[in-house]
Amino acid sequence: MEYRAGRVFLDPSLPGLTPEQRRGVYEAMTAVLCQIHRADITALGLQDYGKPGEYVARQVHRWTRQYRASETRSIPAMERLIHWFPQHLPQTQRTAIVHGDFRLDNLVFHADKPEVVAVLDWELSTLGDPLCDLATSCLAHFLPPDFPILRGICVPGLSSLGIPSAEEVFGQYSRVMGLPDTANWQLYMAFSFFRVAAILQGVYKRSLTGQASSASAESAGQLAEQMADLAWDFATKEGFRVFKAMPGGAGAGQGRGPGPPQSRGLSTWARCGPSRPTGARPFSSIPPSPPPLSEAALIVSPAGLPPRVQNLHLLLERFLQDHLLPQEQLLRDHQASSRCWSPHPLIEELKEKARQQGLWNLFIPVETDPDCRFGAGLTNLEYAHLCEVMGRSVYAPEVFNCSAPDTGNMEVLIRYGSPQQQEEWLHPLLDGTIRSCFAMTEPKVASSDATNIEASIRLEDDSYIINGHKWWTSGALDPRCKLCVFMGKTDPSAPRHRQQSMILVAMDTPGVKVIRPLSVYGAEDPPGGHAELLFEDVRVPRHSLLLGPGRGFEIAQGRLGPGRIHHCMRLVGQAERALELMKDRVKSRVAFGKPLVEQGTILADIARSRIEIEQARLLVLKTAHLMDTVGNKVAAPEIAMIKVVCPSMALRVIDRAIQAFGAAGLSNDFPLAAFYSWARALRLADGPDEVHRAAVAKMELRR
């Protein structure tokens, strides 16, 4: 018990140290753990310090009993884990001295060197499976910095801080100990978070009985549920690993070919290009995905995503749960108030938080931005899983700078904008300091056939003169909207698809007039709205034309690349949220003498909704994967199919939820009415169902 001078690091992000020093600290932490686990138990006379073997099984049993003794409500993830662990215990376990609570803040480091001079808090030590200690040392890797009770380092760009990832920590340990790779490390992470959840539930129970002294004890109940969810995430990943390793499993038999096939296969992956050039402005704080080690199959669950994307998925879910969903009623009330045409300041606050967490510009696909200069370098399939999460709130896409029409306009500027156009318009859009609109639809013609548009773009000296009548120009009423991407005809005598051009118009240009906001089912959707606009002799500089005269359709096809399926991704998220709200509602309401959840019609509606959501999600994910692997043109049948399937599916699911809510489902007290109007509008806004069905039929007949 002698005194040891040195440093104790309470913040695992190690502020004030250089990246090299941080890496040294973490490597020293793992090295001293190896020393502990190599200790000769017999030579130290510690043969009776604990029971040899079956350590994980005994610990699961112990913490299950602890959890049951302090249980105050059912935590679904804990119930799943309690049944899962006995069937998935490690097949082989070493026995060593285990510390039991091996964390960075339980170590004393040398005053000047990355060297551990003492290990504190041995009260949970015993003989057991040493990999449990190793997993405990990595808990912080999967917790956010502001997590109460136990600080984390789950932030984008961890490697830039010099801190090794959890996988690197397990790899270093295996090398030093002379062990094969710990392929089942996620099982140990599941156990570690399961144990933390049980401990936090005990703290919460003591707070209810007045026995807990900590000021944060009352929040431990919610934290216990979060830890259980994390544990179940790792258990699910371990299950996928085992499945893929089985003969005939998902990972079996995938060879590595020379490149993407030209057929409609499901086995290749779009790869990120070179790293961002030095000096380029980053508009996302997420580093690009590394090329995969082997070709990947269609990923149908977030558990199968690469670790970096899984982390983004988890951060998105937490952001919505902690910051956005609790504030939705405030935002809905604001939209119905007299101040509705001014953006609520909360949106800008949330945007800043999202940007700080790296949840920014995630929509830009690697095919559009191969150098990863502007976005996160995600494939369409990776973003599909994230976009579904955003769909759970109508406000989420803007918060993460992933909302239409800005997303499509930014892709246009990335693909087709000149350096001058990008500097003037793209960079502010990527920064989220301005918004934009897209003017194509016209009231006097059937705009589902874009060749019908009548607006004109006429060259005069060194300027273009624009005249046209547009409507359903979403976002044009927002005071932050500074740019309009306008489509009109530059040469009516040219071939049918070479008559149109696109041009950039500043919204404050003389001659741009807002006639009125249009309503959707009586709602005007402030602050952006859907405007009817008049362009009368609007003069813009010649350099404002995109790409060149007559190339409007070419740009439109590029603009509708990845963006053409974003609405479908979000609709799956909306339907999922509607079903969740419905389930909660029918459990809490009684009619005709029994809970609604026991009514046969309600049970049938829940089943139908689950079936339809799963079908639609799988088709959306397949479509995104085909876009990544064989391109948008080959994926055209699926793109058309999901535009028919997703809005109709969402309408049915949301309608059932509204019916279960009764009159409340029609009100502004819940998001269901807004969800319904959006889903119905998208049966037209993304092209009428009739057009998509006709396209599918023609492609089917050509097969």
Side-chain angles (χ1 to χ4, degrees):
M1 298 295 290
E2 70 272 20
Y3 171 77
R4 289 283 185 169
R7 299 173 291 170
V8 175
F9 298 111
L10 299 179
D11 187 339
S13 67
L14 303 177
L17 300 189
T18 66
E20 293 76 18
Q21 290 171 327
R22 293 189 189 105
R23 178 166 287 274
V25 165
Y26 273 88
E27 289 179 347
M29 177 183 178
T30 305
V32 79
L33 186 61
C34 293
Q35 283 185 268
I36 294 169
H37 293 167
R38 281 201 302 258
D40 189 324
I41 297 170
T42 304
L44 293 170
L46 294 175
Q47 302 94 315
D48 299 327
Y49 197 55
K51 295 179 182 179
E54 304 298 330
Y55 174 76
V56 176
R58 292 197 310 275
Q59 286 286 302
V60 168
H61 179 68
R62 172 189 174 184
W63 292 108
T64 298
R65 283 192 294 112
Q66 294 277 79
Y67 170 72
R68 291 293 187 215
S70 58
E71 190 175 7
T72 55
R73 71 200 187 290
S74 176
I75 298 178
M78 287 298 278
E79 299 302 325
R80 291 194 291 268
L81 289 161
I82 288 168
H83 287 90
W84 184 85
F85 273 119
Q87 281 77 46
H88 297 84
L89 295 170
Q91 295 182 355
T92 58
Q93 297 182 50
R94 294 169 51 242
T95 298
I97 297 171
V98 293
H99 179 274
D101 192 21
F102 192 81
R103 306 194 315 259
L104 185 67
D105 55 345
N106 275 337
L107 305 180
V108 180
F109 283 80
H110 190 280
D112 303 310
K113 297 182 289 186
E115 178 183 308
V116 178
V117 298
V119 181
L120 311 176
D121 288 351
W122 289 82
E123 59 192 28
L124 296 178
S125 62
T126 184
L127 299 184
D129 188 332
L131 292 181
C132 292
D133 269 353
L134 188 59
T136 302
S137 75
C138 292
L139 286 173
H141 283 74
F142 304 97
L143 297 173
D146 59 351
F147 189 77
I149 301 177
L150 188 64
R151 283 187 179 181
I153 49 175
C154 182
V155 294
L158 187 65
S159 60
S160 65
L161 297 177
I163 298 175
S165 66
E167 294 91 331
E168 289 178 292
V169 171
F170 274 86
Q172 178 194 347
Y173 179 91
S174 299
R175 289 192 299 274
V176 174
M177 298 295 287
L179 303 174
D181 289 341
T182 49
N184 64 340
W185 67 274
Q186 295 184 114
L187 183 151
Y188 287 92
M189 293 306 309
F191 164 72
S192 295
F193 278 109
F194 170 75
R195 188 181 71 156
V196 173
I199 292 171
L200 289 172
Q201 181 60 32
V203 173
Y204 178 61
K205 178 66 177 290
R206 290 194 294 276
S207 76
L208 296 179
T209 58
Q211 296 174 293
S213 58
S214 170
S216 59
E218 290 187 14
S219 65
Q222 182 180 358
L223 300 180
E225 191 162 353
Q226 293 180 29
M227 294 301 94
D229 288 340
L230 263 175
W232 182 246
D233 285 345
F234 280 108
T236 303
K237 294 170 191 172
E238 173 63 9
F240 271 97
R241 183 194 68 81
V242 173
F243 170 70
K244 290 177 181 178
M246 294 169 61
Q254 290 185 10
R256 206 175 166 184
Q262 298 307 309
S263 62
R264 290 164 48 81
L266 292 174
S267 61
T268 57
W269 195 274
R271 286 160 164 74
C272 186
S275 58
R276 185 168 55 242
T278 304
R281 290 182 64 189
F283 293 96
S284 170
S285 55
I286 304 293
S289 297
L293 297 177
S294 62
E295 294 176 354
L298 172 63
I299 297 174
V300 298
S301 165
L305 293 168
R308 181 180 75 95
V309 188
Q310 285 188 35
N311 183 45
L312 287 173
H313 191 274
L314 180 61
L315 286 173
L316 275 173
E317 287 186 321
R318 286 181 179 169
F319 193 101
L320 260 71
Q321 200 64 39
D322 296 344
H323 302 300
L324 186 51
L325 298 187
Q327 302 287 352
E328 274 193 328
Q329 190 60 55
L330 176 69
L331 296 172
R332 285 196 294 270
D333 291 343
H334 177 75
Q335 282 191 299
S337 73
S338 59
R339 305 180 304 279
C340 61
W341 293 105
S342 296
H344 196 288
L346 175 64
I347 291 293
E348 294 302 322
E349 293 174 19
L350 292 175
K351 285 166 67 174
E352 184 56 34
K353 285 182 180 178
R355 186 161 190 166
Q356 289 173 0
Q357 293 189 28
L359 303 174
W360 196 253
N361 292 336
L362 302 175
F363 71 94
I364 302 172
V366 68
E367 67 187 65
T368 300
D369 181 27
D371 294 334
C372 303
R373 297 172 55 208
F374 307 115
L378 301 177
T379 65
N380 288 297
L381 180 58
E382 290 170 338
Y383 181 62
H385 289 279
L386 306 184
C387 196
E388 179 183 328
V389 177
M390 296 183 205
R392 296 169 63 84
S393 171
V394 294
Y395 307 104
E398 181 184 351
V399 167
F400 304 113
N401 213 39
C402 293
S403 60
D406 293 337
T407 50
N409 292 340
M410 283 188 265
E411 286 191 51
V412 163
L413 288 164
I414 291 171
R415 287 172 179 261
Y416 310 112
S418 67
Q420 180 180 353
Q421 292 167 344
Q422 290 182 347
E423 183 62 33
E424 184 176 6
W425 298 117
L426 175 61
H427 293 173
L429 283 169
L430 289 165
D431 284 328
T433 55
I434 67 169
R435 301 212 59 190
S436 63
C437 61
F438 181 69
M440 185 181 80
T441 306
E442 298 180 3
K444 296 181 180 179
V445 297
S447 300
S448 57
D449 179 0
T451 61
N452 286 339
I453 63 171
E454 297 176 340
S456 66
I457 304 173
R458 176 173 52 85
L459 183 62
E460 184 179 287
D461 299 327
D462 203 33
S463 301
Y464 280 102
I465 308 299
I466 297 171
N467 283 280
H469 186 184
K470 301 287 187 179
W471 72 344
W472 296 108
T473 305
S474 299
L477 294 151
D478 194 314
R480 299 165 298 177
C481 181
K482 305 300 181 185
L483 169 68
C484 175
V485 180
F486 182 96
M487 188 162 179
K489 289 187 176 180
T490 45
D491 185 0
S493 63
R496 191 162 177 249
H497 290 88
R498 296 285 295 176
Q499 299 174 7
Q500 300 80 10
S501 300
M502 283 194 194
I503 196 165
L504 305 177
V505 182
M507 288 296 288
D508 59 359
T509 307
V512 179
K513 299 176 182 177
V514 176
I515 299 176
R516 58 172 176 150
L518 301 168
S519 65
V520 180
Y521 287 117
E524 293 179 330
D525 193 25
H530 310 281
E532 184 174 356
L533 301 173
L534 200 60
F535 295 78
E536 294 181 317
D537 294 327
V538 177
R539 183 180 292 271
V540 296
R542 188 170 184 169
H543 62 72
S544 299
L545 196 71
L546 280 164
L547 202 56
R551 304 186 71 175
F553 258 89
E554 178 184 346
I555 298 170
Q557 289 303 306
R559 185 182 188 276
L560 291 176
R564 68 178 69 198
I565 67 169
H566 291 176
H567 284 314
C568 297
M569 298 168 179
R570 285 191 285 264
L571 284 167
V572 175
Q574 282 189 5
E576 193 70 63
R577 174 115 185 266
L579 179 56
E580 287 181 11
L581 290 168
M582 177 184 180
K583 291 189 293 185
D584 288 342
R585 183 75 171 188
V586 299
K587 290 176 184 176
S588 64
R589 289 292 187 274
V590 175
F592 305 106
K594 61 181 180 180
L596 285 178
V597 74
E598 295 179 14
Q599 306 284 355
T601 56
I602 294 291
L603 292 172
D605 282 350
I606 290 172
R608 290 190 191 99
S609 295
R610 170 51 59 208
I611 292 166
E612 292 170 6
I613 291 171
E614 295 301 324
Q615 290 173 328
R617 177 186 288 118
L618 286 172
L619 185 55
V620 169
L621 294 175
K622 177 192 176 187
T623 304
H625 188 64
L626 286 172
M627 290 170 66
D628 288 331
T629 56
V630 294
N632 299 349
K633 186 174 182 179
V634 181
E638 279 74 16
I639 292 171
M641 286 183 230
I642 62 173
K643 287 189 173 188
V644 175
V645 167
C646 289
S648 297
M649 174 278 297
L651 277 172
R652 291 191 299 271
V653 172
I654 297 163
D655 185 66
R656 292 180 194 124
I658 291 173
Q659 199 70 13
F661 267 74
L666 305 173
S667 74
N668 199 41
D669 292 348
F670 298 95
L672 295 173
F675 283 176
Y676 189 91
S677 64
W678 270 110
R680 183 60 186 88
L682 286 172
R683 289 187 62 197
L684 293 169
D686 236 10
D689 290 356
E690 293 81 1
V691 172
H692 299 310
R693 281 197 293 262
V696 171
K698 290 175 183 176
M699 288 182 278
E700 182 65 25
L701 289 168
R702 287 199 299 266
R703 286 163 76 107

